[in-house]
Amino acid sequence: MTRIAEFFEFVYDRQEVWHRRNVLKVPTPWSTDEVLQNYRFCNVYRELDGGTLALTKYLSDKTVSAEKKLFNIAAYRFFNRRDTIEKLFGGLLEPKSFDFGFYEKRFDACKREGSLFSNAYLISSHPYNASYRPKDKHIQILLMLADLAGKMSDFCRELSEAPAACGLSVVEKYVAMAGPFLSGQILLDATYAGNIVGYTANDFLVVGPGAHWGLNIIFGRKLNKREAEEKCRYLYSVQAEEMEKLQNRTGKNWDAVRWQNPDYCGGRYLALHDIQNSLCEFRKYWRLKNGEKAKKRYYVKKALR
């Protein structure tokens, strides 16, 4: 079996976990695969992950302005925790009245109770303003957000006018400290909002470091940036063929487990960025399956999400 076939079988098996848990509502174990039983993996559909769900329930509100949505997307992704909006922000942030001093006190208090950040990915270690509490990452983010709040009208306008291929550069221009990967996550969230940009997650691509590593594993060599993007698009293009091969070989029917959402931009198969996200998870799965070390975030017979 080729590694391309292994990748698509992983995609099926991980989605089956979600289907058995959330649609069929059967008790654990949700997989016969020991790695999937014992380790946490992100969903193959980014929109189904808990953190994204926590944010997108606000993005679907048509009464919230595009500027307010975009500001909260940027703020949320720097902390990337499910309770960011409710616990840290105390509700949606209002850019026009963002009060740095108020949130400094709130975040300092929350930090004493526990971590403020998800460990899903790293953000810039360089301070936004080295003259004030440069070693406190949450303070540097709040300082950045305080400056961004006054630029939201221009940010929102430029992003709405830019084509998909230029969206990432607009986000990077306005959201200091983000870098290409986090800017890509912000742009993805913007595609869910309905009133920020006019394109979808199929119209642009940012291959993150984990996904790039996954592509290196699948194609058996170290790919450069251009090659990684080409290979990711190739995997996106062969989904139907590979899922048909998988069904013929194993009886695993993608249509029986896929997310049945008529509004999903990927249609019957995964959107381009969900292929990218799944490559990152495949890298972790492949390492564990082959006895290599990986960070152990596992459950005892429960709760894959």
Side-chain angles (χ1 to χ4, degrees):
M1 183 167 60
T2 68
R3 286 186 184 167
I4 291 177
E6 287 184 61
F7 169 69
F8 282 104
E9 186 160 13
F10 164 76
V11 167
Y12 173 92
D13 289 345
R14 178 61 187 91
Q15 176 58 18
E16 186 182 39
V17 168
W18 178 87
H19 182 77
R20 288 175 61 81
R21 181 187 180 191
N22 295 283
V23 178
L24 301 182
K25 300 187 184 300
V26 298
T28 56
W30 298 305
S31 175
T32 58
D33 185 305
E34 291 188 3
V35 173
L36 290 176
Q37 280 184 26
N38 295 311
Y39 288 80
R40 177 187 292 180
F41 292 86
C42 292
N43 283 291
V44 299
Y45 293 93
R46 181 180 184 269
E47 291 175 66
L48 295 177
D49 274 327
T52 302
L53 288 171
L55 175 63
T56 53
K57 70 179 182 181
Y58 294 97
L59 300 183
S60 61
D61 187 341
K62 295 181 180 180
T63 67
V64 179
S65 70
E67 289 182 22
K68 189 171 181 177
K69 286 180 181 179
L70 187 56
F71 186 71
N72 279 275
I73 287 170
Y76 178 87
R77 283 300 170 190
F78 274 92
F79 298 95
N80 203 39
R81 293 177 64 93
R82 293 188 194 187
D83 59 0
T84 296
I85 294 173
E86 289 79 7
K87 183 178 179 181
L88 296 180
F89 297 171
L92 287 182
L93 300 173
E94 178 54 70
K96 293 179 181 179
S97 58
F98 185 82
D99 184 338
F100 169 79
F102 172 81
Y103 286 105
E104 178 181 22
K105 292 177 182 177
R106 176 190 284 275
F107 277 58
D108 282 347
C110 290
K111 185 179 181 182
R112 288 192 289 270
E113 298 173 9
S115 175
L116 298 175
F117 297 90
S118 161
N119 61 1
Y121 48 75
L122 300 175
I123 65 169
S124 172
S125 59
H126 300 293
Y128 181 73
N129 183 345
S131 66
Y132 185 73
R133 298 182 63 177
K135 295 183 179 180
D136 290 319
K137 186 165 62 173
H138 66 291
I139 295 300
Q140 294 304 308
I141 294 168
L142 292 174
L143 287 167
M144 181 272 294
L145 290 174
D147 284 349
L148 178 62
K151 303 173 183 175
M152 286 308 302
S153 179
D154 289 340
F155 181 17
C156 212
R157 176 183 52 78
E158 286 191 34
L159 190 59
S160 68
E161 293 174 354
C166 300
L168 185 67
S169 63
V170 175
V171 177
E172 288 188 276
K173 172 184 174 181
Y174 281 94
V175 186
M177 302 171 67
F181 177 75
L182 187 50
S183 294
Q185 297 301 302
I186 292 169
L187 191 57
L188 278 172
D189 290 329
T191 67
Y192 307 149
N195 60 347
I196 298 177
V197 297
Y199 46 84
T200 75
N202 276 323
D203 298 320
F204 69 99
L205 176 63
V206 181
V207 178
H212 197 145
W213 192 350
L215 287 163
N216 291 345
I217 291 170
I218 290 171
F219 293 98
R221 63 186 179 87
K222 189 173 182 179
L223 304 171
N224 62 36
K225 183 177 183 293
R226 178 185 58 79
E227 290 173 327
E229 291 179 358
E230 289 175 351
K231 295 298 186 184
C232 190
R233 292 182 186 277
Y234 171 75
L235 293 176
Y236 168 72
S237 73
V238 299
Q239 290 181 88
E241 177 184 347
E242 290 298 326
M243 287 302 184
E244 183 178 356
K245 289 179 183 177
L246 176 64
Q247 184 173 356
N248 291 337
R249 188 177 73 252
T250 66
K252 295 178 177 180
N253 180 1
W254 174 249
D255 285 324
V257 301
R258 69 182 176 89
W259 187 28
Q260 301 285 343
N261 181 355
D263 296 325
Y264 175 61
C265 72
R268 184 180 172 190
Y269 297 101
L270 294 184
L272 178 59
H273 265 288
D274 283 332
I275 289 288
Q276 191 274 155
N277 289 336
S278 294
L279 283 163
C280 183
E281 298 303 289
F282 175 73
R283 179 266 305 179
K284 182 171 70 177
Y285 174 83
W286 189 87
R287 293 181 70 198
L288 289 165
K289 200 75 172 176
N290 288 277
E292 295 187 28
K293 292 182 179 180
K295 189 168 185 178
K296 292 185 177 180
R297 295 187 297 162
Y298 57 85
Y299 294 90
V300 180
K301 296 291 183 184
K302 41 164 110 163
L304 279 173
R305 304 187 200 184

